[in-house]
Amino acid sequence: MPENTPASTAPFKHAVVTGASSGIGAATVRKLRSEGWSVVAVARRAERLEALAAETGAVPFAADVTIDDDVAALAAFVAGNGGLDTLINIAGGARGADPMATANNDDWEWMFQVNVLGTMKMVRAFLPALRAHGHGTILNLTSSAALAPYEGGGGYNAAKFGQKAITGALRLEEAEHNIRVIEVVPGLVQTDEFALNRLGGDPAAAAKVYEGVAEPLVAEDVADVVSYAVGLPHHINLDEIVIRPVAQAANHKLIRRL
Ligand code: 8X3
């Protein structure tokens, strides 16, 4: 950066990416690194982060976004390692596909913790640095489950509707601080862990989610869109990007060729 360029107006390209141990988070770290970003990769599973760091040159930091002390330690670490201009909240997920009649308290609480409270805690911790930077970006990964409820989706729908709501509030609150807030809203994405985690680790049940779908999205498809959105000139805000496979014309219309 030229010496006379104020830090607050310079392109910076320092990102923090959560959910980095697998799936869309890991693919996003790979994509951003390939485009020259500095990345702090965050997830609970340290060994996976170490492998990703060795592969990509990202800086690993093991933390649980739902734990206040972890988030505070992460914020201090980032502040001491070059700061950030872009926060990418990918940590999240679904547990269970029960109807309301048999809803499981623990599953619902976990989904609210990681999708809603985890996003809030990360945003709250990093807003001071993003405001100080002057051209901050926050990207939250929600889901098409935030657009329409479906049977067996109640807990996940509620968590993702909630995460969508806080993303909207944040955009309104932070515009005056020149922080753009992007929401990426994926539909069916075939990853190693999403359906497996949701369905109690049952690989056959997880495979059925994608059965007969010619080309579900993969993590790299979403990572491409994430990196495009955060790489645009800062005055352009893609507020809300819905990304689905062609075979999924809507939540309720998924073409399976069986
Ligand atoms: C995942 C999309 O269709 O399983 O976030 O709710 S869906």
Side-chain angles (χ1 to χ4, degrees):
M1 176 194 323
E3 272 177 20
N4 60 356
T5 304
S8 65
T9 61
F12 199 54
K13 296 187 106 177
H14 287 198
V16 172
V17 179
T18 71
S21 59
S22 71
I24 295 168
T28 298
V29 171
R30 290 190 179 97
K31 180 69 179 173
L32 292 180
R33 286 292 303 141
S34 76
E35 293 181 345
W37 286 72
S38 298
V39 178
V40 176
V42 181
R44 286 169 302 170
R45 292 176 290 183
E47 334 71 56
R48 282 178 170 248
L49 283 181
E50 294 296 341
L52 184 68
E55 174 197 331
T56 63
V59 176
F61 193 95
D64 183 333
V65 298
T66 69
I67 297 176
D68 289 309
D69 287 350
D70 280 20
V71 173
L74 169 64
F77 175 81
V78 171
N81 283 273
L84 86 168
D85 58 298
T86 300
L87 171 62
I88 302 181
N89 290 305
I90 299 201
R95 261 193 204 163
D98 297 318
M100 294 280 287
T102 53
N104 176 291
N105 285 354
D106 291 343
D107 288 346
W108 282 54
E109 280 172 18
W110 182 84
M111 288 189 280
F112 276 78
Q113 281 290 339
V114 69
N115 293 291
V116 181
L117 287 156
T119 299
M120 176 276 283
K121 288 177 181 186
M122 287 293 295
V123 167
R124 188 175 58 188
F126 283 100
L127 271 179
L130 292 167
R131 286 178 178 177
H133 178 271
H135 290 73
T137 296
I138 297 172
L139 185 148
N140 291 343
L141 188 93
T142 62
S143 165
S144 61
L147 303 177
Y150 54 86
E151 291 154 280
Y156 186 55
N157 291 135
K160 286 298 188 184
F161 269 78
Q163 189 189 20
K164 180 178 194 48
I166 65 172
T167 303
L170 182 68
R171 185 177 302 115
L172 296 170
E173 291 165 1
E174 294 304 318
E176 67 188 272
H177 297 288
N178 202 28
I179 294 176
R180 66 176 163 180
V181 177
I182 302 166
E183 181 186 356
V184 172
V185 188
L188 191 73
V189 184
Q190 185 164 15
T191 63
D192 292 340
E193 295 192 324
F194 176 81
L196 202 60
N197 287 341
R198 182 175 208 173
L199 300 170
D202 177 348
K208 271 205 164 306
V209 172
Y210 311 102
E211 194 174 40
V213 180
E215 286 179 286
L217 297 179
V218 294
E220 289 72 20
D221 297 327
V222 183
D224 282 356
V225 171
V226 168
S227 91
Y228 176 75
V230 299
L232 284 170
H234 186 268
H235 66 286
I236 304 169
N237 189 12
L238 299 183
D239 279 12
E240 184 180 316
I241 310 163
V242 179
I243 166 173
R244 306 180 197 263
V246 174
Q248 187 186 37
N251 283 30
H252 63 276
K253 183 176 171 76
L254 178 63
I255 298 165
R256 295 185 194 269
R257 303 204 184 279
L258 298 170

